[in-house]
Amino acid sequence: MRYYRLASGNDISLLAADGDATYDLTAVKPRLDGFTDLAAAANVAGTGVDALASDLTSDAPVVDVHPDETALPLVPDEVWAAGVTYEISEEARETESGMPEMYLDAYEAERPEIFFKATPSRTVGPGEAIGVRGDSSWNVPEPELGIVLYDGEVVGYTVGNDVSSREIEGENPLHLPQAKVYDRCCALGPCIASSEAIGDPHDLTISMSIVRDGETLYDDETSTGKMARTCEELVDYWRAHNAVPETGVLLTGTSLVPEEGFTLMPDDEVTITIEGVGDLFNPVIEV
């Protein structure tokens, strides 16, 4: 199943899409108004989120919801990210950096690069504006498969946009936190696809388009099969010696990179699509 949040005024509903039908789970269980609630209940019951949701759909009303009406599918306690997991990302970061050899070392090393990305207040959902830093002249979107974890266990996947300043990161690797963590630096959505719905996360088509003033400036696709590390490996390193939060998202690395010199501008529109999950659309503003 795929899980969405619908925000209508002060009311929040958790929706479950199964095939062509979408069910309002909150209408059956009013306290069930977010994916974290569903994951927590499934954890206590010792079952999966899809099994628990399936038990509720027989009594849940079917709703007609347009993807544009959905909100951030969950509010993660923390968002982390992995870097240099695709060859194209390693090449791009070598290009931007004054110390290019370190990125080749990271790509080939046993230990992956894992870094903190965003707090809830810095994370936006579908249709909300992502931010580019006003003190950077080279800002890019980074399309990534996001792994959703509850209590340290993988429960689903989402689409992530790890918006970054390549200029700031390239100046000095120690500037990475400023290049990565700032207002509206991360987008997630449009939903959470359960682990059962995705199956193999290493065989998914991922694409990105960037539109400016009605003109498509970038449009390309690739596969998560090109990732040099597995999702299991990245999760293991994230959890190692680290008290992970109740609900977290781990982004798995940049799979597509616009050509050198391209920078996002205010009013650009970015759409990232991952097979089996959906389309994450965000306009751009300067922060």
Side-chain angles (χ1 to χ4, degrees):
M1 293 187 184
R2 298 186 308 279
Y3 299 93
Y4 299 83
R5 286 174 72 239
L6 179 66
S8 179
N10 294 325
D11 296 328
I12 301 291
S13 297
L14 175 64
L15 311 178
D18 187 12
D20 295 330
T22 301
Y23 302 91
D24 184 347
L25 302 184
T26 307
V28 180
K29 296 290 185 182
R31 292 188 178 182
L32 202 66
D33 62 2
F35 184 80
T36 298
D37 297 326
L38 182 68
N43 181 272
V44 171
T47 187
V49 291
D50 281 357
L52 184 59
S54 294
D55 289 340
L56 300 174
T57 56
S58 59
D59 297 321
V62 175
V63 294
D64 184 15
V65 178
H66 193 276
D68 292 345
E69 300 173 335
T70 58
L72 185 66
L74 83 163
V75 182
D77 299 310
E78 297 173 358
V79 180
W80 289 62
V84 205
T85 57
Y86 290 82
E87 184 176 7
I88 191 172
S89 176
E90 180 265 323
E91 293 170 348
R93 290 173 75 174
E94 280 191 348
T95 299
E96 79 191 16
S97 177
M99 301 175 63
E101 66 281 354
M102 68 176 292
Y103 292 109
L104 179 60
D105 291 342
Y107 182 71
E108 297 178 344
E110 178 180 351
R111 178 184 294 273
E113 178 192 19
I114 304 285
F115 58 88
F116 183 79
K117 174 59 186 177
T119 58
S121 65
R122 295 178 174 89
T123 306
V124 302
E128 295 185 274
I130 50 176
V132 292
R133 293 184 64 118
D135 60 353
S136 169
S137 63
W138 190 6
N139 302 287
V140 295
E142 298 190 358
E144 308 192 15
L145 176 68
I147 308 171
V148 181
L149 295 96
Y150 179 81
D151 198 28
E153 299 299 324
V154 178
V155 291
Y157 300 88
T158 191
V159 182
N161 190 345
D162 170 18
V163 194
S164 305
S165 166
R166 292 185 64 181
E167 178 185 20
I168 293 174
E169 181 181 357
E171 289 173 351
N172 188 318
L174 295 178
H175 295 166
L176 178 67
Q178 296 172 76
K180 292 289 188 179
V181 184
Y182 55 88
D183 292 343
R184 298 178 177 272
C185 65
C186 180
L188 300 174
C191 67
I192 299 166
S194 67
S195 300
E196 293 82 359
I198 290 298
D200 183 5
H202 308 102
D203 187 27
L204 304 174
T205 299
I206 179 169
S207 63
M208 179 173 69
S209 66
I210 305 171
V211 175
R212 179 178 298 163
D213 298 326
E215 179 185 357
T216 300
L217 301 183
Y218 179 88
D219 188 10
D220 202 358
E221 69 176 36
T222 187
S223 170
T224 57
K226 294 185 177 181
M227 190 161 49
R229 302 180 187 270
T230 66
C231 292
E232 292 83 359
E233 178 186 4
L234 296 176
V235 168
D236 284 345
Y237 272 98
W238 180 49
R239 294 183 302 196
H241 312 283
N242 182 28
V244 299
E246 179 184 29
T247 303
V249 173
L250 177 62
L251 304 179
T252 56
T254 306
S255 57
L256 293 166
V257 179
E259 65 184 27
E260 183 181 353
F262 173 85
T263 186
L264 282 177
M265 301 292 291
D267 299 321
D268 285 356
E269 298 175 337
V270 181
T271 301
I272 301 170
T273 302
I274 296 182
E275 179 185 359
V277 184
D279 305 326
L280 174 61
F281 167 82
N282 300 98
V284 179
I285 62 172
E286 184 178 292
V287 298

